[in-house]
Structure formats: C-alpha cells, structure tokens
Amino acid sequence: MNLSDVALFCAIMATGSLSAAGRQAGLSPMAVSRRLAALEQELGVRLLHRTTRSVALTADGETFLPLAQTMLEAREAAAAAFSEQREGLSGVLRVTAPNRIGRAVVVPLVVRLIAENPLLQVDLTFTDGIVDIVASGIDVALRVATLQASELVAVRLVDNPRILCAAPSYLAEHGSPERLKDLDGHACLTLHAMEAWPFQQAGQPIAKRIKGRLATNSVDTVHAACVAGAGIALLTYWDVVQELADSTLAAVALTDAEPEQLAIWAVLPTRQHMPARVRHFIHALKIELTTPSARQL
C-alpha cells in the first residue's frame, strides 16, 4: 500500500476537500482524485462520497480512517527510531517521580542522558502526590504503591519493600520493638494519609493503627525526623538505601509480622508508538535500579 496515498486520504479528511489537500501536497485536484481512486481500487472499497463541494466518509471509509492514521503514526515512529539511533535521543522527556527516589536515582540518570544526547531535553516533576499523567502530558511516572486498575500501562522495575527503621541513637535509648504490638510503646513518625501501617502477619494483610507525636504530609520530613532520632518510621527501601548502607539508620525486624512488599513501577499513558527516548529511559532506569552496586549506595 502506498503510504503517500494513505497520507493524502487523511489530509482530505483533515482539510475537508480534495482541493485543499492538494494545495498542501502541491498537487492538482485531478491528481488527488486519481490517487484517491488508486487507493480505493487497491482496497476494493469506496472510501468517500464526493461532490464538487464536499466529501464525506462512506461506512468503509469510517473503518479505514483510524487504520490509516495508525499506519502513518507507525511510519513516523519508525523514522524517529532510526533517526535517534544515528543522532541520539531527541525531543522532550517528561518524567514525574516521588521526591526522594527522584533526587537519588532519576536526577543522576537524566544528567547522564543529557550529556550523552545533545538533542534531548528533560522535564522533571518531583512530588509524593499522584499526578494525572494524561492531562499533564507526562511520558513516564514512577510510582511506589499498590496500583489500581486503570487504562494506563504499568511496568514493574524493581522491588521496593517497606522497612521499619530508626536511628541507632533512638534504638539505644528506647530499645527495639520485637512484636507488632510493641509499636504502641514507641514514638512512631506518621504521614497524614497513612494512619495505619500495612503489614503481613501469618500470610495475611493487617493494618496496624499507629499513633505518634509527630505527623506530617511529607515523606522527606518523616525521613529527616527519623535520621535525627525522633522515632521509628515506615519508609521504603529506596527512601533509606543510603542511610542503611552508612548506618545512619538501622532496619527494625519484627518477629511476628513484616511490612508490606511494594515495587517501583513505571506508569505510561500508552504502549503504542512509544518514543525511543521513553523506551531508553525505562530500560536505563531498570538497569540502574537492579545492578548490585545500586543496592549498596
């Protein structure tokens, strides 16, 4: 199938007339009509009802139009992919991520990608809230949560279990809880939206209601208070990987329960016609998160 004729058919529908599509393509109305007829002959159907003043899709034309648009998008994606192989990644990569993972993992990666790809631009949004990636035009959202069913595409990157942790100074002064109920006697650092901490006990999920003297809407604040020795926090592995490695924080293990297991997900608006810059970023991020050295930061 001649994709130029397919593009001309789409242009006719976009402009509303054969002559307007011809002016865009530098063709006479007669030439446009001949090429449209050739496309209809190849498909074996009539695509348009046409008069001297207007065009309208036939039933077969309505079926073919989205297929035609998909073919043209695929052609553009293929051309862009090979262009980026020759010239490097290009365009604007828009990413949103939680604050701590964004700063610790995403920033070093995109700095390297920008250095390696002079035509690439990156737009970063770091927030612990949920961003509507479709409305915001985001290419990739990193999420650390139990994902809800949606039309978005989710790619699992790496495990990111929740971890009970505290500063060694806090544990030296107050001791370490051994059982889930022991948390009632400790200073727990809580988030406004998380009054109960999720655990697994005897293979079943259980929510442990937590009370503490410090509550905040910010994971960064919980992290800072925990490092300062203010109490026990429930954070995720990638929030505290550096502090666990240098012993600024210590993991607290309970004998009768373990914190909920989570993962880091890359969430995309669609899998179709994914730009090379998005594919490359996800691939590079997965390598970054799963190499042995990453877990020893």
Side-chain angles (χ1 to χ4, degrees), residues 8-257:
L8 193 57
F9 166 70
C10 291
I12 292 169
M13 296 315 304
T15 60
S17 73
L18 274 68
S19 57
R23 285 193 294 274
Q24 283 188 355
L27 298 172
S28 67
M30 182 70 71
V32 173
S33 182
R34 284 198 301 266
R35 288 177 56 173
L36 176 61
L39 179 61
E40 290 176 323
Q41 183 176 2
E42 182 172 5
L43 291 170
V45 298
R46 187 173 181 84
L47 297 174
L48 296 176
H49 298 297
R50 43 196 183 273
T51 68
T52 55
R53 294 186 177 182
S54 65
V55 293
L57 288 170
T58 64
D60 289 324
E62 290 179 356
T63 300
F64 182 65
L65 180 59
L67 300 175
Q69 292 167 336
T70 297
M71 282 189 279
L72 297 180
E73 290 171 0
R75 179 180 66 175
E76 293 174 3
F82 288 107
S83 173
E84 287 171 332
Q85 284 184 13
R86 295 190 304 270
E87 302 171 6
L89 304 177
S90 62
V92 181
L93 174 66
R94 294 180 172 86
V95 178
T96 182
N99 283 292
R100 293 197 60 79
I101 292 174
R103 292 196 297 267
V105 180
V106 176
V107 169
L109 175 58
V110 299
V111 167
R112 188 165 70 245
L113 291 179
I114 288 172
E116 294 170 352
N117 300 276
L119 300 180
L120 179 67
Q121 301 176 56
V122 180
D123 186 304
L124 298 177
T125 300
F126 292 159
T127 174
D128 294 325
I130 299 298
V131 176
D132 183 338
I133 64 175
V134 175
S136 303
I138 299 291
D139 295 310
V140 185
L142 299 190
R143 299 264 169 88
V144 181
T146 302
L147 299 184
Q148 304 298 318
S150 75
E151 296 181 356
L152 302 176
V153 177
V155 179
R156 188 185 180 101
L157 299 176
V158 69
D159 291 340
N160 189 33
R162 295 190 191 275
I163 293 180
L164 278 176
C165 53
S169 60
Y170 175 87
L171 297 176
E173 182 177 352
H174 300 279
S176 181
E178 296 184 358
R179 299 172 64 84
L180 192 59
K181 66 179 183 179
D182 296 341
L183 291 175
D184 294 336
H186 282 269
C188 294
L189 309 171
T190 63
L191 288 167
H192 290 166
M194 195 175 177
E195 295 179 352
W197 287 355
F199 289 88
Q200 288 279 329
Q201 192 173 54
Q204 297 297 319
I206 182 173
K208 171 64 176 173
R209 290 193 65 83
I210 296 296
K211 292 183 179 179
R213 296 175 61 193
L214 191 155
T216 176
N217 67 335
S218 165
V219 173
D220 277 346
T221 303
V222 169
H223 180 276
C226 190
V227 169
I232 296 176
L234 183 66
L235 295 167
T236 65
Y237 175 80
W238 282 98
D239 289 329
V240 295
V241 57
Q242 180 66 58
E243 290 76 12
L244 293 175
D246 63 19
S247 298
T248 303
L249 291 176
V252 175
L254 303 177
T255 59
D256 63 341

